[in-house]
């Protein structure tokens, strides 16, 4: 394998709208064809690195890491005015010249990452393609990088134009900057003429390399795994350049991952065309292999793959030394336990000690200190914040005030969140007010620094509709027709286009005329799941140490506000990065608005998270829930939930936790709500075995949560909960399920459980993957659900003001208004002198109402709102329009939901 011809210039689908193959397919073909080394050199980014590494490791192929990056001309060209296309549209600017950079070692990879980041940062303000300037090249290229100059580079463009003298002159600065790492890239696709891929240019490149003493390497500038994919490359070119496929611009069909004999034959052909003997072809292959062998970047050691990279302990206040972080974490946890009144509770303190021991052995102390610091900072900003997910099952998180609920009170398991048997990083998600989410991002960056923080990238991939649009326009189909075709399809994968066309009734009419559109369907399917671009993940924030920018490049988000990591959201965990999901939740904004209005109108400061202020078991709130009066309540307001809580008649927070868990497609299809409700109202619970009664008692024998499955496996097999969690995770994997079953039956049978009991329990366990839910998730959801219920019971006007201001739920404003009026809370129309910039609570003759905000009035600017707030009264709305907006329609044009 290692003796075969390596490929040093390969673009995958992560070269957006350029590469036509997924990296897994490229590696699979490399393994099949005996290609021992493949370099991933995507255009302008390294987003596909993790998937490439994993595929290469599985296939036994050596990975080489690099990038194909735009490079500025050494002599800036004169300003050229480009004409507008005759048929409309716009020119798409691409980097004028390109070079391929390969990392030889960790230092080279770090410099490559820094250079790519700098190129994207410099390009962002002008909206130009990422391009490395010569200042960047001088700063970042050294012995750690190899640079390949191919047909798209400035010197070889001159050579293609017949100016070998200019090519030599343009190579001189490259030799000064790169030194011994410079290589000329010979590319031959057998084309005529002197352009890229031609035999003549390849021969001239080899001759120029020999004349100047620069080693040459042979590549195929690969864009796709198999030759048949060249048509997909044509579609991608057309989509990228916003033009139909043109016959004179078709891909040559030769840019596939060719095997060793094919590349050796090409080397011989180029050497012969250059007038050299066959030994020159042998040397060309040997020099190519030498470059591949020189590039030794270890994915774990140099890229940090699979190794946690948390912020340094000193950043979160820990003292120097190996035990500094643990001492600080224990101190803060013990202080939190005392503040919560749990320091004298032996069971709680034992659980804390157990968790701290696990965290210490895993060396995860900086993780918890960093997350606790983020949550504390958010609270200091006056922003509502709440943890969700399995992290709510940790006593450490509870003591650090990251999680609200006491995990022991709700039978939550730390092992569902973290254990020494679990290879993946723990995951803590935090909900914040959606209206202030970006303020939280800003505070995190301020706290930890831009060298440690980035937002997560999210590649946008081709699905059916986008694939049909780009393919249709590339084939020259009229835009209106393309739009009609694309909108006819449901939101499905692109690879399912033709099967949907033949099977879905709603596509019957389109199927009848399918033949008119030629290869549209087949070509569109070929784009399935290829990235179209990269966007900012809606909630993922990466916290790392100062090595972050040496391991991955960043680029500005589409709006330019934040550095965005060039890594898929699915891959950051493999990179050992702490991904903190900061979810903007509109209900949190609505409740924060309600609390602000309560304080403004009554002077009462309410802390929703303080049980002395807001008891989660409030009887007035539960009266509303039992009456299915749940419009405006988080997680409880849908028609289906109204029906379920009406039948369940919840009496305490545990019932609400179960209700939230049961109202999901899997449990509903499995009939779990009916079983639970029957037992809840008096039917005798049924337990498969008496040993499982402690596990299932609080759900009346019905298995609802992940935590119960973990305990069932632990009780019956004798394993610890950590292993029970590993087995639970395997239940959703069809390949691993038989092994889990064999293990369960052997271990549980050895402990004396009868075959009938094993059959009954395994039926429950095996089917659990379809309907299971994490109890910690449900607890985290139940807390804001009950807080919103408390607000509706005690301060309805304030809650309705928040709901109308932030629109957090499933109901439109008219339903919220109708519900408010049903609860004797009038929604008052716009008053130009009393309405505020936001929905506000206002005293009425019989109580409190909600005054509609000025933001609902068309044409009122923020400046005008400020003027009104400063006290410049108007006698009427007509007066307002006459004085402030004389060009706008009169009051008859105002449409107000409260009128």
């Amino acid at each position: 394998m290692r003796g075969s011809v390596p490929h040093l210039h390969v673009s995958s689908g992560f070269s957006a709208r350029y590469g036509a193959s997924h990296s897994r397919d490229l590696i699979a073909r490399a393994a099949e064809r005996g290609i021992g080394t493949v370099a991933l050199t995507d255009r302008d980014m390294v987003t596909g690195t993790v998937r490439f590494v994993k595929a290469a490791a599985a296939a036994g192929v050596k990975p080489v890491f690099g990038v194909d990056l735009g490079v500025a001309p050494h002599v800036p060209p004169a300003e050229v005015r480009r004409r507008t296309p005759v048929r409309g549209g716009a020119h798409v600017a691409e980097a004028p010249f390109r070079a391929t950079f390969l990392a030889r070692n960790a230092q080279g990879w770090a410099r490559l990452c820094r250079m790519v980041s700098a190129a994207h940062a410099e390009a962002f303000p002008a909206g130009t393609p990422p391009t490395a300037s010569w200042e960047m090249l001088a700063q970042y290229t050294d012995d750690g990088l190899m640079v390949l100059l191919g047909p798209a580079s400035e010197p070889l463009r001159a050579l293609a134009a017949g100016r070998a003298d200019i090519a030599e002159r343009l190579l001189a600065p490259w030799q000064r900057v790169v030194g011994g790492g410079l290589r000329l890239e010979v590319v031959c696709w057998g084309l005529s003429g002197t352009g890229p891929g031609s035999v003549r240019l390849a021969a001239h490149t080899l001759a120029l390399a020999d004349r100047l003493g620069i080693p040459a390497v042979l590549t195929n500038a690969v864009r796709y795994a198999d030759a048949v994919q060249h048509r997909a490359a044509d579609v991608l070119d057309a989509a990228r350049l916003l033009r139909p496929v043109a016959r004179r611009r078709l891909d040559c069909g030769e840019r596939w991952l060719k095997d060793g004999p094919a590349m050796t034959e090409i080397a011989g052909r180029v050497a012969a065309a250059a007038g050299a003997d066959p030994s020159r072809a042998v040397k060309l292959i040997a020099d190519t292999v030498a470059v591949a062998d020189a590039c030794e970047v270890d994915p774990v050691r140099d890229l940090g793959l699979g190794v946690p990279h948390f912020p340094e302990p000193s950043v979160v206040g820990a003292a120097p030394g190996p035990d500094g972080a643990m001492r600080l974490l224990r101190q803060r946890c013990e202080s939190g336990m005392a503040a919560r009144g749990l320091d004298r509770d032996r069971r709680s303190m034992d659980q804390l000690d157990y968790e701290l021991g696990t965290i210490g052995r895993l060396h995860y102390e900086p993780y918890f200190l960093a997350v606790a610091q983020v949550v504390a900072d958010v609270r200091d900003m006056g922003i509502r914040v709440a943890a969700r997910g399995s992290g709510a099952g940790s006593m450490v998180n509870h003591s650090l005030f990251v999680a609200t609920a006491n995990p022991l009170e709700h039978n939550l398991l730390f092992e569902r969140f973290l254990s020494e048997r679990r290879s993946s990083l723990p995951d803590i998600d935090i909900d914040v007010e959606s209206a202030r989410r970006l303020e939280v991002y800003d505070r995190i960056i301020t706290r930890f620094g831009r060298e440690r923080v980035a937002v997560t990238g999210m590649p946008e991939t081709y699905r059916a509709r986008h694939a049909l649009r780009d393919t249709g326009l590339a084939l020259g189909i009229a835009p209106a027709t393309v739009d009609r075709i694309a909108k006819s399809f449901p939101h499905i994968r692109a690879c399912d286009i033709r099967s949907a066309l033949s099977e879905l009734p709603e596509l019957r009419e389109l199927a009848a005329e399918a033949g008119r559109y030629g290869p549209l369907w087949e070509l569109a399917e070929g784009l399935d799941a290829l990235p179209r671009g990269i966007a900012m993940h809606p909630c993922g924030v990466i916290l790392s140490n100062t090595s972050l920018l040496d391991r991955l490049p960043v680029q500005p988000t589409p709006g330019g506000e934040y550095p965005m990591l060039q890594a898929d959201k699915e891959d950051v965990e493999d990179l050992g990065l702490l991904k903190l999901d900061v979810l903007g939740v509109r209900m949190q904004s609505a409740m924060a608005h309600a609390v602000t209005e309560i304080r403004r109108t009554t002077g009462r400061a309410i802390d929703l998270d303080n049980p002395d202020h807001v008891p989660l078991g409030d009887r007035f709130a539960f009266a509303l829930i039992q009456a299915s009066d749940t419009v405006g309540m988080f997680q409880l307001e849908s028609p289906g939930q109204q029906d379920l809580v009406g039948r369940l008649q919840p009496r305490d927070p545990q019932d609400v936790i179960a209700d939230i868990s049961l109202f999901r497609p899997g449990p509903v299809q499995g009939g779990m709500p009916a079983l639970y409700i029957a037992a809840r109202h008096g039917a005798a619970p049924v337990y498969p075995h008496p040993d499982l009664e402690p596990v299932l008692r609080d759900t009346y024998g019905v298995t609802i949560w992940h935590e119960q499955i973990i305990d069932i496996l632990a009780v019956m097999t004798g394993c610890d909960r950590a292993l029970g969690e590993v087995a639970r995770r395997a239940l959703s994997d069809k390949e691993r399920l038989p092994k889990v079953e064999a293990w369960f039956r052997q271990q549980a049978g050895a402990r004396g459980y009868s075959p009938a009991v094993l059959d009954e329990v395994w039926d429950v366990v095996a089917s659990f993957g379809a309907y299971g839910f994490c109890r910690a998730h449900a607890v985290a959801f139940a807390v804001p659900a009950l807080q919103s219920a408390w607000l509706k019971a005690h301060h309805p006007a304030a809650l309705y003001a928040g709901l109308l201001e932030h629109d957090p739920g499933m109901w439109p404003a008219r339903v919220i208004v109708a519900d408010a009026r049903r609860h004797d809370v009038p929604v008052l129309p716009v008053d130009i002198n009393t309405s505020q910039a936001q929905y506000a609570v206002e005293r009425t003759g019989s109580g409190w109402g909600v005054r509609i905000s000025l933001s609902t009035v068309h044409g009122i600017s923020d400046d005008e709102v400020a003027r009104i707030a400063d006290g410049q009264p108007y006698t009427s709305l007509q007066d307002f329009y006459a004085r402030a907006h004389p060009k706008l329609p009169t009051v008859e044009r105002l449409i107000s939901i409260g009128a």
Side-chain angles (χ1 to χ4, degrees), residues 715-749:
V715 167
M716 294 189 66
T717 67
C719 72
D720 57 26
R721 285 171 168 171
L723 183 56
E725 164 62 2
V726 173
R728 182 204 64 80
R729 284 175 169 262
L731 296 177
S732 58
D733 187 333
K734 293 182 179 179
E735 294 183 359
R736 297 172 65 189
L737 191 61
K739 296 180 181 179
V740 177
E741 180 180 4
W743 165 80
F744 169 77
R745 290 185 179 276
Q746 178 184 3
Q747 296 296 319

Side-chain angles (χ1 to χ4, degrees), residues 43-121:
R43 280 193 161 198
D44 304 328
M45 57 179 54
V46 301
T47 313
T49 299
V50 172
R51 298 184 186 190
F52 171 68
V53 167
K54 292 168 70 174
V61 175
K62 176 187 173 181
V64 173
F65 307 97
V67 70
D68 179 341
L69 188 62
V71 177
H74 188 256
V75 179
E79 185 72 22
V80 177
R81 180 178 178 272
R82 304 193 69 177
R83 298 178 63 183
T84 302
V86 173
R87 297 188 179 182
H91 289 289
V92 176
E94 293 199 291
F97 306 110
R98 308 194 71 85
T100 301
F101 299 83
L102 302 177
R104 299 180 62 179
N105 49 38
Q107 179 179 332
W109 175 255
R111 288 181 170 272
L112 183 149
C113 291
R114 295 276 181 173
M115 182 165 61
V116 172
S117 298
H120 278 275

Side-chain angles (χ1 to χ4, degrees), residues 639-663:
Q641 269 288 22
Q642 290 177 359
D643 172 69
L644 182 56
V645 297
R647 291 186 290 129
L648 178 59
Q649 292 292 291
R651 294 195 293 258
D652 56 41
Q654 294 302 325
D655 284 341
V656 174
I657 294 168
D659 168 87
I660 289 172
S661 304
L662 289 166
F663 190 71

Side-chain angles (χ1 to χ4, degrees), residues 766-790:
S767 62
F768 186 79
Y771 65 80
F773 193 59
C774 175
R775 189 170 192 166
H777 281 282
V779 170
F781 284 144
V783 170
L786 292 170
Q787 289 168 341
S788 60
W790 184 90

Side-chain angles (χ1 to χ4, degrees), residues 370-380 383 385-387 400-402 430:
V371 174
Q373 186 64 66
V374 169
V375 172
D377 286 346
V378 174
R379 286 204 174 97
D380 286 344
I383 298 175
V385 57
L400 293 172
F401 291 88
V402 171
I430 60 172

